[in-house]
């Protein structure tokens, strides 16, 4: 097709577009092709047809939402009473094997081959009792540094090596103990034991890791200033154990900065040693496997750790009430506490049932009072925290700020009523707690970690290793008179100290009035700052 015929064909396709000039001039037709005589042809313009847009109909209105169904609950007779529990299962205490490695580590092994896992924990005496004067928190910070890598593996490489085998290695410090534990699949036991042993023998203790840990601790302490619950836990030891007690030391940002990497190097050298240490092991491993693996990894490790000081008896603050101000706090944290009996006291089982009835669980007197009856708290508890030679009884709760003083009064009322018998103990309460302890005991041996904890508790308190086999029988023999006698013997509201953390503008005045009225006994009220110092 030549050029002229192409132009005529294109012209036949053009739809004329009418243009109307402003002012009503006559319409004109657009040219459809450039002049043929042009040396350089101009581009061909193809007009676009204008297609009218059809109107879219409005959407139909949505049907109204159906009314929600009315819930009905049939009133069958069985709903009127709680289901009856089945017969209690007697505890089959796991078989425990003890032996000692050549370097002095005492091993407590429970073989469990049902699951392909191994959990272990090396426990050494020391913990907070080894903290130097003026450096509280040393054991905690230095224990945190221990599992931040080894001499060969920096922290990230160390964590990656553990992640490759789904294993863990962790170090910890408590009141009078510290240690290093691990868990692994049994098929990765050798690889994980190598990392665990290297943590004990060749910890990395790098300056950058220590600096990070210190900064994280300082940031955590700063966060606690705005939390009554956190501040209450931080200052509990200062109030109820005493300022000079190892457990009464308060870690501050300033004291944290004084703890150096060199302190942690000394901690690892002096506080990690095999002689006298105890190793608790549970899982898919035999004694022979363990002896071979530990002998290969720890055979050359020798020495005895420098012991920490024995925990002295508590010397609580002389003030009756200690208050810590958190301006604007919507809730207050409460503690009412005093010194309690030793774990080896002959009336341990009646005492356990007594504290369970008073504050041990959801149905306890304290919780039913403050939460269910008054609606002042989400939960309230009370019980004994045991250490080797003594314990502390504490009733505690977090309550609305506007009911702080009445809540303290209610805690005292419940403790006093239990001690004096003005609110008699009922058979229903005793049966409920006996059943809970008896039926709940097998659950303490469900996992490797729980088994370790159960046997470690016996060793810590110097109790026979078969104690759990007779626990259910001992609890079942307790009579109501035994519980009432334990309450009279071990509850001492007249000696209790009170710690309250909350908004002073709302709380301090009513607390002073409560103390002046004699509800809390004789004594003064003092105000502490978040670092445990007397506030001006």
């Amino acid at each position: 097709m030549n050029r002229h015929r192409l132009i005529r064909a294109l012209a036949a396709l053009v739809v004329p577009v009418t243009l109307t000039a402003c002012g009503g001039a006559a319409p004109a037709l657009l040219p459809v092709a450039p002049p043929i005589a042009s040396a350089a042809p101009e581009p061909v313009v193809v007009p676009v047809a204008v297609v009218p847009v059809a109107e879219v109909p409005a959407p139909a209105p949505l049907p109204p939402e159906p009314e929600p169904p009315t819930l009905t609950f049939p009133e069958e007779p069985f709903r009127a009473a709680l289901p009856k529990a089945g017969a209690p299962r007697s505890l089959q205490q796991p078989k425990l094997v003890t032996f000692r490695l050549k370097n002095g580590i005492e091993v407590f092994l429970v073989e469990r081959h049902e699951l392909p896992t191994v959990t272990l924990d090396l426990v050494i005496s020391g913990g907070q009792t080894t903290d130097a004067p003026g450096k509280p928190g040393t054991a905690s910070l230095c224990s945190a540094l221990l599992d931040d890598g080894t001499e060969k593996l920096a922290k990230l490489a160390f964590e990656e090596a553990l992640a490759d085998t789904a294993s863990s290695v962790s170090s910890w410090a408590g009141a009078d103990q510290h240690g290093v534990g691990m868990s692994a699949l049994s098929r990765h036991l050798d690889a994980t034991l190598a990392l665990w042993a290297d943590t004990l023998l060749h910890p990395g203790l790098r300056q950058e890791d220590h600096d990070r840990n210190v900064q994280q601790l300082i940031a955590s302490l700063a966060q606690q200033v705005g939390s009554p619950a956190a501040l209450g836990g931080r200052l509990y030891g200062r109030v109820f154990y005493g300022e000079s007690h190892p457990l009464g030391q308060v870690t501050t940002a300033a004291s944290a900065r004084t703890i150096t990497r060199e302190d942690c190097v000394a901690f690892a050298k002096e506080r990690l040693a095999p002689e006298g240490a105890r190793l608790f092991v549970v899982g898919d491993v035999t004694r022979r496997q363990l002896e071979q693996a530990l002998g290969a990894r720890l055979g050359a490790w020798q020495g005895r750790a420098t012991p920490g000081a024995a925990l002295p008896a508590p010397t609580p603050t002389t003030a009756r009430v200690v208050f810590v101000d958190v301006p604007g706090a919507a809730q207050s944290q409460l503690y009412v506490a005093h010194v309690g009996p030793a774990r080896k006291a002959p009336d341990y089982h009646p005492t356990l049932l007594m504290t369970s009835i008073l504050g041990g669980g959801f149905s306890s007197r304290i919780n039913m009072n403050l939460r269910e009856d008054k609606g002042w708290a989400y939960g309230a508890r009370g019980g004994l925290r045991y250490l080797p030679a003594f314990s502390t009884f504490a009733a505690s709760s977090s309550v609305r700020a506007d009911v702080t003083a009445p809540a303290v009064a209610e805690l005292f009322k419940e403790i006093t009523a239990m001690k004096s018998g003005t609110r008699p103990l009922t058979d229903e309460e005793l049966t409920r707690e006996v059943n809970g302890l008896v039926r709940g005991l097998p659950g303490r041996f469900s996992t490797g970690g729980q088994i370790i904890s159960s046997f470690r508790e016996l060793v810590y308190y110097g109790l026979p290793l078969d104690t759990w086999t007779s626990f259910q029988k001992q609890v079942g023999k307790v009579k109501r008179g035994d519980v009432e006698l334990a309450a009279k013997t071990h509850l001492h509201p007249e000696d209790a100290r009170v710690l309250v953390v909350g908004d002073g503008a709302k709380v301090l005045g009513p607390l002073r009035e409560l103390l002046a009225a004699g509800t809390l006994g004789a004594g003064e009220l003092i105000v502490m700052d978040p670092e445990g110092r007397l506030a001006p």
Side-chain angles (χ1 to χ4, degrees):
M1 181 182 292
N2 60 32
R3 181 179 179 189
H4 297 287
R5 292 178 64 187
L6 175 60
I7 292 173
R8 286 197 296 269
L10 291 174
L13 296 175
V14 174
V15 177
V17 179
T18 302
L19 299 180
T20 303
C22 295
L29 293 179
L30 290 176
V32 296
I36 296 176
S38 174
E42 296 181 3
V44 176
V45 177
V46 181
V48 178
V50 179
V51 180
V53 179
E55 293 186 5
V56 179
L62 295 175
E65 293 187 5
E67 292 293 329
T70 302
L71 300 179
T72 58
F73 298 94
E75 297 296 332
E76 291 96 334
F78 77 89
R79 297 182 185 276
L82 292 173
K84 292 184 178 180
R89 292 173 51 196
S90 60
L91 173 69
Q92 300 298 319
Q93 180 173 305
K95 181 181 178 182
L96 180 69
V97 176
T98 62
F99 56 96
R100 194 177 297 273
L101 300 180
K102 293 181 180 180
N103 60 5
I105 296 177
E106 188 176 9
V107 182
F108 300 82
L109 170 63
V110 175
E111 292 188 29
R112 292 187 75 194
H113 301 286
E114 301 92 333
L115 293 175
T117 61
V118 178
T119 303
L120 62 81
D121 197 12
L122 183 73
V123 180
I124 303 171
S125 296
Q128 290 177 241
T129 63
T130 67
D131 289 352
K135 291 191 174 185
T138 299
S140 295
L141 263 178
C142 294
S143 293
L145 187 60
L146 283 177
D147 62 6
D148 277 342
T150 64
E151 291 179 354
K152 294 180 180 179
L153 297 175
K155 179 176 176 61
L156 289 179
F158 183 73
E159 297 292 346
E160 288 173 353
L162 290 170
D164 286 344
T165 56
S167 305
S168 67
V169 171
S170 58
S171 50
W172 55 272
D176 55 353
Q177 294 180 326
H178 56 268
V180 182
M182 59 151 273
S183 64
L185 294 169
S186 52
R187 68 175 180 268
H188 297 310
L189 179 60
D190 287 341
T192 310
L193 273 176
L195 295 170
W196 174 77
D198 224 19
T199 300
L200 290 167
L201 305 180
H202 309 290
L205 305 177
R206 293 173 175 80
Q207 185 68 52
E208 58 269 25
D209 294 326
H210 176 69
D211 292 342
R212 184 190 61 253
N213 291 343
V214 170
Q215 291 304 313
Q216 287 178 338
L217 174 58
I218 292 173
S220 175
L221 295 174
Q223 288 179 324
Q224 292 178 9
V225 173
S227 169
L231 276 182
R234 179 180 178 185
L235 299 176
Y236 179 94
R238 172 63 57 96
V239 174
F240 300 115
Y241 293 117
E243 183 176 351
S244 61
H245 197 278
L247 304 185
Q249 304 303 301
V250 178
T251 302
T252 66
S255 68
R257 292 188 181 97
T258 67
I259 302 171
T260 65
R261 172 189 172 275
E262 287 67 33
D263 291 328
C264 293
V265 171
F267 178 88
K269 182 179 179 180
E270 298 170 8
R271 311 295 181 186
L272 295 179
E275 190 176 344
R278 298 181 173 111
L279 181 65
F280 297 86
V281 187
V282 176
D284 185 23
V285 63
T286 65
R287 173 177 176 174
R288 182 178 180 182
Q289 287 176 300
L290 202 58
E291 286 179 321
Q292 291 178 343
L294 294 176
R297 301 294 181 188
L298 304 179
W301 193 31
Q302 301 292 326
R304 187 178 188 90
T306 304
L311 286 171
T315 54
T317 178
T318 57
R320 176 65 63 175
V321 180
V322 176
F323 179 76
V324 183
D325 189 17
V326 180
Q331 294 183 334
S332 299
Q333 182 66 35
L334 317 178
Y335 292 95
V336 176
H338 60 73
V339 179
R343 173 62 178 84
K344 282 186 168 182
D347 60 351
Y348 167 76
H349 297 96
T351 302
L352 175 61
L353 284 165
M354 180 268 293
T355 55
S356 297
I357 293 168
L358 179 58
F362 187 89
S363 298
S364 68
R365 292 183 174 186
I366 288 175
N367 191 63
M368 296 303 286
N369 183 335
L370 294 190
R371 174 184 165 125
E372 296 301 293
D373 181 39
K374 304 293 192 306
W376 292 349
Y378 285 114
R381 296 291 186 268
L384 289 162
R385 179 194 179 190
Y386 286 101
L387 289 162
F390 60 88
S391 67
T392 54
F393 169 81
S396 63
S397 183
S398 182
V399 302
R400 293 193 338 246
D402 61 317
V403 296
T404 300
V408 174
E410 289 297 321
L411 290 177
F412 265 85
K413 185 182 81 172
E414 292 294 351
I415 297 169
T416 303
M418 177 67 82
K419 177 182 178 66
S420 64
T422 54
R423 181 182 172 186
L425 183 70
T426 67
D427 291 334
E428 180 185 0
E429 288 177 314
L430 182 58
T431 301
R432 181 191 70 223
E433 297 305 325
V434 167
N435 286 341
L437 291 172
V438 168
R439 289 180 165 87
L441 182 64
R444 294 193 60 167
F445 297 86
S446 299
T447 67
Q450 289 174 318
I451 293 173
I452 284 179
S453 177
S454 297
F455 283 114
R456 195 171 71 184
E457 177 181 332
L458 301 181
V459 175
Y460 179 68
Y461 296 123
L463 297 169
L465 295 178
D466 63 349
T467 293
W468 297 119
T469 60
S470 62
F471 178 84
Q472 292 171 313
K473 182 179 180 181
Q474 293 294 328
V475 169
K477 292 193 307 183
V478 175
K479 305 301 182 184
R480 186 168 64 180
D482 302 327
V483 177
E484 292 169 341
L485 180 59
K488 292 177 182 178
T489 305
H490 299 306
L491 291 179
H492 301 289
E494 70 280 3
D495 294 331
R497 305 301 194 270
V498 179
L499 171 61
V500 178
V501 186
D503 184 1
K506 300 177 182 177
V507 172
L508 198 49
L511 275 178
R512 293 188 190 278
E513 294 174 3
L514 192 66
L515 184 59
T519 306
L520 311 181
E524 64 174 337
L525 183 151
I526 63 173
V527 179
M528 278 186 181
D529 69 11
E531 296 186 351
R533 302 169 300 201
L534 284 177

